């Protein structure tokens, strides 16, 4: 009715924004066209596919369409002021080309992030939720990122309301609902943030803008965002990306981020976005690859250094001497293929790393491990060597770890490396001799420990108790021999002489209340696994050693220095 009463109309819009939601299906429309005798209808006038903007473009006398550049008729808006240049650059490559001129330079922003960034969400798995999709890992990662970065973004923008800085969008309603629920449950965010922040589908941001937009791809395999349709239009990603004023952050599985656009003419939007991110953007995190020895330290280091650090643990030496022919160089072989495999995968994106941090233990073995990592990196990604530093730390307190990271310097101590390799070469020859002598390879440190156990004054570990197995009223019964009527079973441990004496007394006693089969069980109590902390505690309780002294004795055993016993209070005899 509006257009029927108008002589002229100015229609403002963009057919590459999100399309209208039609109430009429194409099959319904074909039925109606057949009823009124219309064989063909221009799609612009379709009640199931068209829009007012398309009709206006057909009718306008201003501007001619350019099919080669896919530019419709009309007067295009030439200047774009909302987004930083690199952000709108994707939309230009996708749709607008040179018709749209970016007016904001990348440098003019309060945002601490690059304009176009991404996060590879490990172990990402998409699940069907009725007609929609969810991805638990992506939701978890986005909420974790928001928690870690909230204060930083608030300080940068000098705005206490994070809901006015960040929007989180997804192509699927179920994923948006999942993220909102996770935000509401998190103690550092809560219901108020979940209620006020834009956490919705892309449609919720059409016509709006936000300094930082995080986008959850959700799916991990194509077709993406198609909902069963073979045609994937550029509208959704065009809107999603162009809502971000300062930074667009894509959260997706590694498989999605490694996909290549083999047919750019086809303009599959997500594939082109991945290409664009790798050419013009940066990975948001991790920006550092941190190599440590013990995986038990990974959680502490991650907590101290944040999401910017990716931790890989070697679990000790990952290379061993496989052979050492006389007069030749030793031949090394991988002893931890899992670590070298993870390292190779991490180095594929070496260009997205600011630093390789060698944080192995600050001793001779740790220095050698760091040196072997350097040689591995030199083979796979030599340019990364220019961005490699050595981090040395001696405790796991967060502040200490951050100070150690801040003071990290290039290079390893080659004297320590040489000393460690020389020790391992000597051990290799030593084990060759033990193999010849006793038929088994025994290391120098193992031999020292066994020697200490053999000569140390340790109480006899052989402890006994007597157990009776029998039956009472056809029910199986187990009884323990105790030293007095008031004692409770199971019986306390006794030495061998006492146990045999108890058995002898039972053997001559003829009035046992239980018809029993007598047996003696030798039972060693379970020994708890030893850790460094337990060793330090035991050293203090048994010998009065301070932690530094206990650690030195432990290191001596590791190096194979001991060949005598340890005296209480006085160290090695």
């Amino acid at each position: 009715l509006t257009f029927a009463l108008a002589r002229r109309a100015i229609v403002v819009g963009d057919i590459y924004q999100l399309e209208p939601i039609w109430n009429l299906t194409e099959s319904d429309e074909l039925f109606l066209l057949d009823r009124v005798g219309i064989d063909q209808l221009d799609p612009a006038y379709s009640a199931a596919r068209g829009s007012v903007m398309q009709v206006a473009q057909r009718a306008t006398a201003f501007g001619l369409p350019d099919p080669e550049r896919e530019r419709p008729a009309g007067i295009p808006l030439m200047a774009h002021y909302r987004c930083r240049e690199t952000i709108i650059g994707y939309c230009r490559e996708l749709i607008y080309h040179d018709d749209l001129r970016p007016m904001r330079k990348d440098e003019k922003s309060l945002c601490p992030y690059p304009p176009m960034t991404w996060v590879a969400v490990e172990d990402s798995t998409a699940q069907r939720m009725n007609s929609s999709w969810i991805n638990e890992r992506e939701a978890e990662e986005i909420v974790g990122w928001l928690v870690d970065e909230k204060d930083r973004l608030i300080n940068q923008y000098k705005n206490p309301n994070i809901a006015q800085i960040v929007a989180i969008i997804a192509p699927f309603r179920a994923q948006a609902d999942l993220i909102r629920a996770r935000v509401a449950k998190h103690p550092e965010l809560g219901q108020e943030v979940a209620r006020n922040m834009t956490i919705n589908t892309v449609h919720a941001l059409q016509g709006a803008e936000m300094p930082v937009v995080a986008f959850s791809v959700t799916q991990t395999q194509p077709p993406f965002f198609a909902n069963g349709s073979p045609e994937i239009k550029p509208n959704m990603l065009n809107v999603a990306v162009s809502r971000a004023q300062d930074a667009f952050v894509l959260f997706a599985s590694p498989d999605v981020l490694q996909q290549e656009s083999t047919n750019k003419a086809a303009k599959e939007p997500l594939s082109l976005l991945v290409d664009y991110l790798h050419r013009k953007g940066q990975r948001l995190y991790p920006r550092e690859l941190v190599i440590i020895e013990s995986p038990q330290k990974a959680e502490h280091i991650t907590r101290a250094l944040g999401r910017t650090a990716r931790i890989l643990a070697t679990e000790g030496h990952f290379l061993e001497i496989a052979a050492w022919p006389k007069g030749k160089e030793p031949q090394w072989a991988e002893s931890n293929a899992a670590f070298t495999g993870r390292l190779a995968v991490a180095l594929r994106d070496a260009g997205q790393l600011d630093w390789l941090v060698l944080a192995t233990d600050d001793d001779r073995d740790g220095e050698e491990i760091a040196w072997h990592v350097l040689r591995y990196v030199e083979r796979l990604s030599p340019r990364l060597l220019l961005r490699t530093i050595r981090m040395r730390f001696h405790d796991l307190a967060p502040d200490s770890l951050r100070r150690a990271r801040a003071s990290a310097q290039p290079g390893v101590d080659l004297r320590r490396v040489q000393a460690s390799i020389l020790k391992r070469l000597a051990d290799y020859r030593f084990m060759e001799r033990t193999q010849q002598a006793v038929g088994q390879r025994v290391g120098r440190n193992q031999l020292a420990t066994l020697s200490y156990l053999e000569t140390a004054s340790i109480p006899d570990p052989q402890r006994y108790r007597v157990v009776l197995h029998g039956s009472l009223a056809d029910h199986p019964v187990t009884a323990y021999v105790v030293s007095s009527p008031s004692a409770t079973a199971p019986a306390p441990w006794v030495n061998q002489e006492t146990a045999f004496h108890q058995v002898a007394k039972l053997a001559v006693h003829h009035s046992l209340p239980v018809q029993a089969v007598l047996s003696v069980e030798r039972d060693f109590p379970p020994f708890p696994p030893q850790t460094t902390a337990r060793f330090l505690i035991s050293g203090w309780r048994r010998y009065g050693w301070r932690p530094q002294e206990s650690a030195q004795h432990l290191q001596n055993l590791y190096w194979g220095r001991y060949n005598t016993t340890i005296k209480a209070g006085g160290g090695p005899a």
Side-chain angles (χ1 to χ4, degrees), residues 324-543:
W324 186 20
K326 291 185 179 181
K328 296 184 179 181
E329 293 286 330
Q331 299 172 9
W332 299 88
E334 292 182 3
S335 57
N336 188 345
F339 165 72
T340 53
R342 290 192 298 270
L343 180 59
V345 170
L347 293 178
R348 291 177 189 169
D349 293 328
Q352 297 297 330
L353 292 172
D354 295 329
W355 295 103
L356 170 64
V357 182
L358 303 174
T360 49
D361 294 352
D362 189 18
D363 54 27
R364 292 184 304 189
D365 290 273
E367 212 71 18
E368 184 196 345
I369 293 169
W371 181 75
H372 282 301
V373 171
L374 282 177
R375 294 182 66 193
Y376 202 88
V377 172
E378 183 180 16
R379 189 170 74 251
L380 294 183
S381 184
R383 291 185 180 181
L384 187 56
L385 294 176
L386 299 175
R387 307 191 301 278
T388 300
I389 50 178
R390 180 76 167 98
M391 171 180 164
R392 304 178 187 279
F393 62 95
H394 304 96
D395 65 79
L396 295 174
D399 289 342
S400 299
L401 289 169
R402 284 190 282 268
R403 284 194 297 269
R405 170 61 190 86
S407 61
Q409 298 292 326
V412 297
D413 188 337
L414 291 179
R415 293 175 300 175
R416 278 183 166 186
V417 175
Q418 292 168 348
S420 179
I421 292 177
L422 184 61
K423 177 178 73 72
R424 295 182 74 193
L425 290 173
D427 285 342
Y428 182 83
R429 290 291 189 230
F430 185 89
M431 285 190 289
E432 280 186 332
R433 294 190 177 185
T434 58
Q435 176 76 39
Q436 296 171 357
V438 299
Q440 186 174 352
R441 296 173 69 88
V442 180
R444 185 164 46 89
N445 51 353
Q446 295 170 304
L447 198 63
T449 305
L450 292 172
S451 175
Y452 165 68
L453 292 175
E454 182 182 14
T455 57
S457 299
I458 302 175
D460 183 7
Q462 298 183 11
R463 300 189 295 172
Y464 297 80
R465 60 187 174 195
V466 180
V467 183
L468 305 177
H469 300 288
S471 60
L472 181 63
D474 296 327
H475 294 286
V477 173
T478 299
Y480 293 86
V481 174
V482 296
S483 56
S484 67
S486 61
T488 58
W493 297 99
V494 297
N495 59 29
Q496 185 180 43
E497 181 180 357
T498 302
F500 286 157
H501 179 68
Q502 291 173 340
V503 171
K505 288 181 65 178
L506 289 169
V508 298
H509 201 287
H510 299 290
S511 59
L512 288 175
V514 178
Q515 183 181 359
V517 177
L518 235 60
S519 66
V520 178
E521 290 191 355
R522 177 176 175 179
D523 192 352
F524 289 93
F527 194 81
Q530 187 70 301
T531 63
T532 302
R534 285 177 176 164
F535 185 89
L536 299 181
I537 293 170
S538 298
W540 171 257
R541 288 177 174 173
R542 182 174 294 185
Y543 302 117

Side-chain angles (χ1 to χ4, degrees), residues 149-218:
E149 294 294 295
K150 178 168 67 76
D151 292 341
R152 181 187 181 194
L153 290 170
I154 285 173
N155 292 333
Q156 284 289 122
Y157 283 95
K158 296 179 174 57
N159 185 341
N161 189 354
I162 191 65
Q164 296 177 0
I165 302 172
V166 177
I168 302 172
I169 55 178
F172 302 102
R173 169 69 60 187
Q175 180 70 357
D177 291 343
L178 175 64
I179 296 172
R180 189 185 304 106
R182 292 286 183 89
V183 169
K185 289 181 180 179
H186 199 284
E188 295 187 37
L189 298 173
Q191 293 281 355
E192 184 177 355
V193 172
R195 183 170 53 252
N196 296 330
M197 180 179 283
T198 300
I199 307 174
N200 214 320
T201 61
V202 180
H203 298 75
L205 270 186
Q206 175 143 296
E209 60 189 24
M210 196 65 69
V212 179
V213 172
F215 182 78
S216 172
V217 173
T218 309

